[in-house]
């Protein structure tokens, strides 16, 4: 990650050692680092090897390769063309020398013997400009990262809203097809009640997402979350089929965290555990282990399992296990999003699985 507050590195170029030492002593200050080059060739090597040079103080009159040629070569290289150059010269400040220097890429001139106050003031200006440039680069990178997060967040929202919506559609479809009266009055009331609850659940989720979207990452609400109650609510609104047994094997904690994100992780893992389970006596088990500064949660099932070679691939975008590849709803998106959510909290997610016994997904969540 680009650091906008890193040190300001100045490359000093002069063929005389005493001039280099005098310049370094004159310009020494807080958050400044100096690299000294005694020739044009050495200066070019240093500039190409160092990515954080903010300013070059370049002597014009040097043997073998003068400052004008060094500047020209620096400005023609993609890696170094952005570096600011101040020419330091004993040549009379005649117009044609100045124009040549500006043509080669210099941004300023200093005349020998150097005026200490003027030299310090000019270097200070270039240091401030460099810091502003670094902040702009950092901001651009942060914007790109945030945009990627927003795109991925859109995937997870669609995925999360689909599960209760599918249950709602299923319940309404059963009611619609009940023309011959196969369903009892109590069953009809139960389906209507489930439909209303699912609709309310979706409405609450939309309201939470609207609130979430108005806040930056640092402003998102950290609240007390009873994980046991939250998981029970998630399971209730997923309408698990009767052949699937769900149970918590350990007590679940109460956390101070961002509820919506933790809910998304559990909802996706539990939803996947029953969606891909092809066993007539299917089960889903959930539990956690307390560690020093985090909880390690797990969601276990006895479904088709995941081959060992796919354990890492399933957490990559648009990659899925060969065992799930024929499943229509498997997009290869959900688990990669969960990985991002968990890592954002400082944890990690992984799977322990084989086709014979099912899968156990583990993830860490900070206290």
């Amino acid at each position: 990650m680009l650091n906008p507050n890193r040190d300001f590195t100045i490359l000093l170029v002069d063929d005389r050692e005493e001039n280099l030492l005098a310049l370094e002593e004159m310009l020494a200050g807080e958050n400044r680092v100096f690299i000294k080059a005694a020739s044009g060739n050495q200066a070019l090597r240093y500039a190409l090897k160092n990515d954080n040079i903010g300013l070059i103080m370049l002597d014009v009159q040097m043997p073998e390769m003068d400052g004008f040629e060094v500047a020209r070569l620096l400005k023609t290289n993609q890696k170094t063309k952005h570096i600011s150059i101040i020419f330091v010269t004993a040549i009379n400040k005649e117009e044609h020398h100045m124009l040549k220097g500006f043509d080669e890429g210099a941004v300023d001139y200093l005349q020998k013997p150097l005026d200490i106050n003027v030299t310090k003031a000019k270097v200070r200006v270039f240091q401030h400009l460099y810091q502003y440039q670094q902040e702009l680069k950092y901001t651009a990178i942060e914007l790109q990262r945030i945009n990627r997060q927003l795109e991925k967040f859109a995937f997870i929202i669609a995925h999360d809203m689909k599960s209760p919506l599918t249950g709602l559609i299923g319940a309404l479809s059963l009611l619609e097809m009940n023309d011959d009266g196969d369903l009892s009055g109590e069953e009809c009331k139960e389906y209507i009640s489930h439909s209303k609850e699912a609709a309310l659940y979706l409405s609450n989720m939309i309201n939470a997402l609207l609130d979430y979207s108005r806040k930056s990452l640092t402003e998102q609400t950290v609240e007390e979350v009873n994980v046991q109650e939250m998981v029970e609510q998630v399971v209730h609104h997923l309408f698990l089929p009767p052949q699937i047994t769900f149970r918590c094997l350990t007590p679940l904690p109460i956390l101070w965290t961002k509820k919506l994100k933790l809910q998304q992780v559990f909802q996706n893992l539990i939803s996947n555990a029953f969606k891909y389970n092809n066993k007539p006596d299917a089960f889903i088990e959930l539990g956690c282990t307390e560690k020093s500064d985090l909880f390690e949660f797990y969601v276990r099932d006895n479904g088709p399992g995941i081959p060992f070679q796919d354990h890492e691939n399933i957490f990559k975008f648009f990659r899925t296990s060969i065992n799930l590849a024929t499943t229509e709803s498997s997009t290869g998106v959900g688990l990669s999003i969960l990985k991002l959510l968990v890592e954002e909290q400082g944890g990690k997610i992984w799977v322990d699985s084989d086709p014979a016994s099912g899968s156990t997904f583990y993830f860490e969540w900070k206290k």
Side-chain angles (χ1 to χ4, degrees):
M1 177 66 71
L2 183 66
N3 180 7
N5 300 313
R6 66 183 179 182
D7 291 337
F8 182 56
T9 302
I10 305 174
L11 175 59
L12 307 176
V13 188
D14 199 301
D15 60 312
R16 301 183 61 168
E17 179 69 18
E18 62 270 25
N19 289 344
L20 292 173
L21 293 173
L23 260 180
E24 182 177 11
E25 184 178 353
M26 180 191 303
L27 299 175
E30 189 177 357
N31 299 325
R32 286 184 184 173
V33 176
F34 296 92
I35 301 173
K36 297 188 288 292
S39 68
N41 283 320
Q42 193 176 45
L44 291 173
R45 288 198 300 272
Y46 288 160
L48 288 169
K49 286 197 311 185
N50 290 272
D51 295 327
N52 58 342
I53 294 174
L55 176 65
I56 299 176
M57 305 283 289
L58 181 57
D59 184 34
V60 172
Q61 294 172 293
M62 293 186 295
E64 297 181 10
M65 183 186 299
D66 66 19
F68 294 134
E69 187 175 355
V70 174
R72 182 168 61 253
L73 291 172
L74 288 170
K75 291 303 175 182
T76 55
N77 189 290
Q78 191 67 26
K79 188 175 180 180
T80 58
K81 68 178 185 178
H82 66 281
I83 304 175
S84 299
I85 299 173
I86 297 179
F87 276 140
V88 181
T89 178
I91 301 174
N92 290 333
K93 203 172 181 181
E94 297 176 5
E95 184 179 356
H96 68 280
H97 286 299
M98 291 183 62
L99 291 176
K100 181 178 181 182
F102 291 130
D103 286 342
E104 301 299 353
V107 291
D108 210 339
Y109 259 96
L110 285 171
Q111 187 76 24
K112 292 181 181 179
L114 296 176
D115 182 299
I116 294 178
N117 292 327
V118 171
T119 303
K120 286 184 174 181
K122 288 193 174 186
V123 170
R124 194 180 306 118
V125 168
F126 282 104
Q127 182 172 0
H128 290 159
L129 288 173
Y130 176 77
Q131 289 170 342
Y132 296 148
Q133 290 171 348
Q134 294 303 111
E135 289 169 4
L136 286 172
K137 290 179 183 177
Y138 179 81
T139 301
I141 291 172
E142 280 294 287
L143 286 173
Q144 289 177 351
R145 183 184 64 82
I146 291 169
N147 283 335
R148 287 195 296 269
Q149 283 187 335
L150 288 172
E151 291 173 2
K152 293 165 184 175
F153 189 64
F155 279 115
I156 209 170
I157 295 311
H159 189 276
D160 284 357
M161 297 183 78
K162 186 176 180 180
S163 296
L165 187 59
T166 300
L168 173 61
I169 293 171
L172 292 175
S173 297
L174 287 172
L175 291 171
E176 185 181 36
M177 293 185 296
N178 191 37
D179 293 337
D180 50 7
D182 289 340
L183 298 176
S184 67
E186 287 300 315
E187 287 175 321
C188 289
K189 287 181 181 179
E190 183 179 353
Y191 284 128
I192 291 171
S193 176
H194 281 322
S195 300
K196 288 173 65 178
E197 288 178 0
L200 181 61
Y201 183 72
L202 283 169
S203 177
N204 290 336
M205 181 182 289
I206 290 169
N207 289 333
L209 290 170
L210 288 172
D211 179 63
Y212 175 92
S213 67
R214 297 188 189 104
K215 298 176 180 177
S216 68
L217 189 63
T218 55
E219 293 173 325
Q220 290 162 20
T221 303
V222 174
E223 57 187 297
E224 185 179 78
V225 179
N226 186 319
V227 180
Q228 184 75 44
E229 291 181 359
M230 184 184 70
V231 167
E232 289 173 358
Q233 184 185 46
V234 166
V235 171
H236 178 71
H237 292 294
L238 286 176
F239 300 106
L240 295 183
Q243 74 270 19
I244 292 184
T245 301
F246 177 85
R247 51 184 175 263
C248 285
L249 302 184
T250 66
L252 300 181
I254 295 175
L255 299 176
W256 279 90
T257 189
K258 296 169 183 176
K259 180 179 180 180
L260 184 60
K261 295 195 172 185
L262 183 58
Q263 179 178 305
Q264 288 169 335
V265 176
F266 276 117
Q267 180 165 314
N268 277 271
L269 289 179
I270 296 170
S271 174
N272 287 344
F274 87 80
K275 185 189 303 181
Y276 302 121
N277 202 317
N278 56 359
K279 303 293 174 60
D281 54 347
F283 69 78
I284 301 170
E285 296 174 340
L286 192 147
C288 76
T289 303
E290 184 174 2
K291 298 191 174 181
S292 58
D293 63 340
L294 54 82
F295 284 97
E296 181 183 290
F297 294 96
Y298 63 86
V299 177
R300 179 182 299 132
D301 66 70
N302 64 336
I306 300 167
F308 179 78
Q309 65 269 23
D310 290 333
H311 284 191
E312 292 187 11
N313 286 339
I314 59 172
F315 294 105
K316 298 176 182 178
F317 261 97
F318 306 111
R319 300 289 292 276
T320 185
S321 167
I322 189 170
N323 284 11
L324 309 178
T326 57
T327 306
E328 183 180 351
S329 57
S330 178
T331 62
V333 170
L335 288 175
S336 59
I337 298 295
L338 295 194
K339 183 173 184 288
L340 292 168
L341 287 176
V342 171
E343 290 177 350
E344 184 183 294
Q345 303 301 314
K348 59 182 179 179
I349 185 170
W350 68 98
V351 64
D352 181 13
S353 176
D354 68 76
S357 59
S359 304
T360 304
F361 282 86
Y362 298 88
F363 72 91
E364 298 172 339
W365 204 267
K366 284 197 172 182
K367 294 179 180 179

